[in-house]
Amino acid sequence: MFAIMSSRSSLRRLTVATPYLSRHLVGCCKGIRCFSKTGLKNDDAYDQTIPNMRIDENTRVIYQGFTGKAATFNAKDTIEYGTNVVGGVSPGKGGLKHLGLPVFETVREATDKLQPHATCVFVPAHSAAGAITQAIEAEIPLVVAVAEHIPVHDMLRVHEILRTQSKTRLVGPNCPGIIAPGRCRLGVMPYRQYSKGIVGIVSKSGTLSYEAVGATTAVGLGQSIVVGMGGDMLPGTTLVDALNLFLEHEETKGIVVIGEIGGEAELKAAELIKDYHRNNPTDRKPIVAMVSGRTAPVGKTMGHAGALLSHGDVSAEAKARALQDAGAVVVPHPGVIGTEMKRLLGM
């Protein structure tokens, strides 16, 4: 995963990790518009949107691509779950009703009428970047994009836009979404195994996040918020972003971080955990970590675009050591996450 933290750091990191992208970064980002004037550095402006992930039963949700097959199926489940879905957007179908809710022609119109706090982007990958951009333009606080295979150049443009503003936070793409169990579900998580509780979970892998959920549910801890960072090379929310969310979230008493091969997100997370432990020597939240992909062959994508171990990349073992050295308790597999977290919490 390569999180774009600013134009300068983007170019530096992409030069090391993906030479082709670095050569074309400047050209593909010409003409990018600034959506809000913050007076802050890019990192600081976008970081202000981290609290937007504090979803709950009062979060008003719309769907982009609302009348499509995938969105319809997901929205039915999400409404049944209790999420406050208030309408959606489908170009060419504005003015109609779908699932008993209003359909609007544009995101701007839906925002003006419904005042949503979040939007679920359920459009094909080739159109997803445009849909995300429209949501940023409308200043919707939280955008969740589940689509896989969004073109990398499209996501580079989205990231440059994101970091010109301080209103909208993106989770995804290529992710299961974000959920506050029992209150609000934005994405495709198999919600029946989730339970409201006290453990915050962030994971690159959707499947492993479900395993961590199952493990923490089984021991009676439950989850406060679960963030799917996603398997895209250019995620809108990183492990560090989610950690910052959980460290300031009162309902979260323990934190689970699940990484994998590819990128440097785990090393950045380790740096933050080390700083957190140094600044909080006694009163601190326990952090359990796991890194998958220790047996992955070099040069083979393992499941999604970001899970790729290239020559010269940091190995899964090295990432696990960095997290352990920082103070996280590293476990070998997700089945023990629940019992280990319960032990650390003294419960």
Side-chain angles (χ1 to χ4, degrees):
M1 304 287 179
F2 304 106
I4 306 300
M5 299 308 294
S6 69
S7 296
R8 185 176 299 173
S9 62
S10 299
L11 186 56
R12 182 174 65 253
R13 295 182 68 189
L14 288 170
T15 299
V16 175
T18 50
Y20 175 80
L21 292 180
S22 67
R23 289 197 300 271
H24 293 272
L25 176 63
V26 175
C28 78
C29 293
K30 288 181 179 178
I32 294 300
R33 293 167 290 171
C34 289
F35 287 81
S36 61
K37 296 180 180 179
T38 63
L40 299 172
K41 294 180 180 179
N42 289 352
D43 292 6
D44 296 334
Y46 189 53
D47 285 350
Q48 289 186 4
T49 66
I50 288 173
N52 296 0
M53 293 188 283
R54 294 182 181 180
I55 57 175
D56 58 27
E57 64 274 8
N58 298 312
T59 301
R60 296 169 61 83
V61 180
I62 64 171
Y63 276 77
Q64 290 172 253
F66 189 31
T67 59
K69 183 177 179 181
T72 299
F73 181 82
N74 182 268
K76 285 179 178 178
D77 269 357
T78 299
I79 292 168
E80 181 182 343
Y81 188 62
T83 302
N84 187 21
V85 178
V86 294
V89 178
S90 284
K93 297 185 179 180
L96 300 178
K97 290 276 189 178
H98 184 61
L99 303 181
L101 298 169
V103 181
F104 295 90
E105 194 71 18
T106 66
V107 177
R108 174 64 69 183
E109 185 182 3
T111 302
D112 290 343
K113 298 291 186 182
L114 300 175
Q115 299 297 307
H117 303 114
T119 176
C120 292
V121 177
F122 272 77
V123 301
H126 62 82
S127 302
I132 294 168
T133 301
Q134 290 170 29
I136 300 170
E137 245 183 328
E139 297 186 345
I140 298 177
L142 181 61
V143 181
V144 175
V146 300
E148 190 174 2
H149 303 307
I150 297 178
V152 175
H153 275 72
D154 286 357
M155 285 309 301
L156 282 168
R157 294 186 182 97
V158 167
H159 274 276
E160 291 302 314
I161 294 169
L162 281 171
R163 282 158 177 84
T164 67
Q165 55 83 54
S166 59
K167 302 292 184 182
T168 301
R169 162 67 44 175
L170 172 64
V171 172
N174 189 7
C175 78
I178 178 172
I179 183 171
R183 291 166 289 178
C184 183
R185 174 212 194 201
L186 306 173
V188 297
M189 298 74 68
Y191 57 82
R192 287 180 177 84
Q193 67 171 339
Y194 289 69
S195 62
K196 185 177 179 180
I198 60 173
V199 179
I201 300 172
V202 58
S203 175
K204 278 186 176 182
S205 165
T207 302
L208 289 177
S209 74
Y210 309 152
E211 295 286 347
V213 165
T216 50
T217 294
V219 297
L221 295 177
Q223 307 84 42
S224 53
I225 295 177
V226 181
V227 180
M229 173 179 162
D232 198 75
M233 293 178 68
L234 300 168
T237 292
T238 66
L239 298 181
V240 165
D241 295 333
L243 275 168
N244 278 316
L245 170 71
F246 296 143
L247 291 175
E248 299 297 327
H249 189 235
E250 291 185 2
E251 293 181 29
T252 299
K253 307 303 181 184
I255 301 169
V256 174
V257 179
I258 301 178
E260 64 185 9
I261 54 171
E264 300 177 354
E266 297 80 4
L267 302 184
K268 296 292 185 182
E271 291 175 10
L272 176 60
I273 293 169
K274 183 180 293 184
D275 289 341
Y276 172 65
H277 280 228
R278 182 167 54 246
N279 296 328
N280 300 273
T282 55
D283 185 19
R284 59 196 185 199
K285 300 179 181 182
I287 301 173
V288 174
M290 175 187 155
V291 181
S292 68
R294 299 191 183 203
T295 61
V298 175
K300 183 176 178 60
T301 299
M302 303 300 292
H304 45 66
L308 173 64
L309 181 65
S310 301
H311 290 284
D313 277 356
V314 180
S315 67
E317 289 85 354
K319 291 180 177 183
R321 284 196 302 271
L323 288 163
Q324 186 166 0
D325 291 344
V329 176
V330 177
V331 296
H333 60 83
V336 298
I337 287 175
T339 54
E340 189 63 21
M341 179 59 75
K342 192 168 185 178
R343 181 187 70 82
L344 291 171
L345 288 168
M347 299 175 67

